[in-house]
Amino acid sequence: MDKKTNISDSELEVLKELWLLPSLTARQLTDRLLERTNWSEPTIKTLLLRLLRKNAVKRTRSGKVFVYSALITQDEYRYQAGCSLLNRLFNGMTGDFLTCLVRNEHLSSSEIESLKKLLDEAEKK
């Protein structure tokens, strides 16, 4: 997937299913999404096609059916989406983002401790 490729919220829901179960047939994927969304079958197929075109998902033939798998991991997606947000809202200034987050979010003691450790490790690099 290209770093500039945008994944819509609906496409993300399809990817979430493929992150949970890495290989699903079109029927399995459709059934899972029909259970928790109000989408129609054609809508789900359209979303799959869009993800295929964006190289976020791959399709392989297994007998008479197609099996779908994510080509981007959840961590890769989160990083790319986070960078996009950081660039749009904070002009790429990570420190400004972290300052805003720490000042406006209630962080637990364990979250604060984890952040301290990460910052200490970053400082040593």
Side-chain angles (χ1 to χ4, degrees):
M1 186 175 117
D2 186 310
K3 288 189 176 205
K4 293 182 181 179
T5 301
N6 290 324
I7 301 293
S8 71
D9 290 343
S10 298
E11 292 166 345
L12 180 58
E13 292 306 310
V14 175
L15 279 173
K16 286 178 181 178
E17 291 297 331
L18 293 171
W19 290 328
L20 285 172
L21 295 170
S23 292
L24 290 170
T25 65
R27 174 83 268 147
Q28 291 168 326
L29 187 54
T30 299
D31 288 346
R32 291 177 65 85
L33 288 164
L34 287 173
E35 283 179 16
R36 64 179 189 80
T37 68
N38 60 355
W39 300 339
S40 67
E41 228 171 287
T43 297
I44 295 168
K45 289 181 181 180
T46 298
L47 292 169
L48 268 173
L49 282 173
R50 287 178 14 197
L51 287 167
L52 282 165
R53 287 187 193 121
K54 292 178 180 184
N55 292 318
V57 165
K58 73 175 179 176
R59 174 176 67 187
T60 54
R61 186 176 286 281
S62 178
K64 294 181 180 182
V65 297
F66 285 112
V67 176
Y68 292 85
S69 303
L71 286 175
I72 182 173
T73 67
Q74 190 171 22
D75 284 344
E76 289 169 331
Y77 173 76
R78 285 177 174 169
Y79 178 73
Q80 289 175 12
C83 286
S84 176
L85 178 71
L86 186 66
N87 286 328
R88 280 193 333 267
L89 299 180
F90 295 92
N91 296 321
M93 302 298 293
T94 306
D96 290 351
F97 169 71
L98 289 173
T99 300
C100 179
L101 189 67
V102 169
R103 285 189 176 148
N104 294 291
E105 282 294 315
H106 173 71
L107 300 173
S108 69
S109 296
S110 63
E111 289 172 319
I112 292 169
E113 195 57 42
S114 291
L115 283 172
K116 284 180 183 178
K117 284 180 185 176
L118 281 172
L119 291 171
D120 286 344
E121 287 173 15
E123 188 176 46
K124 290 176 185 174
K125 288 183 182 179

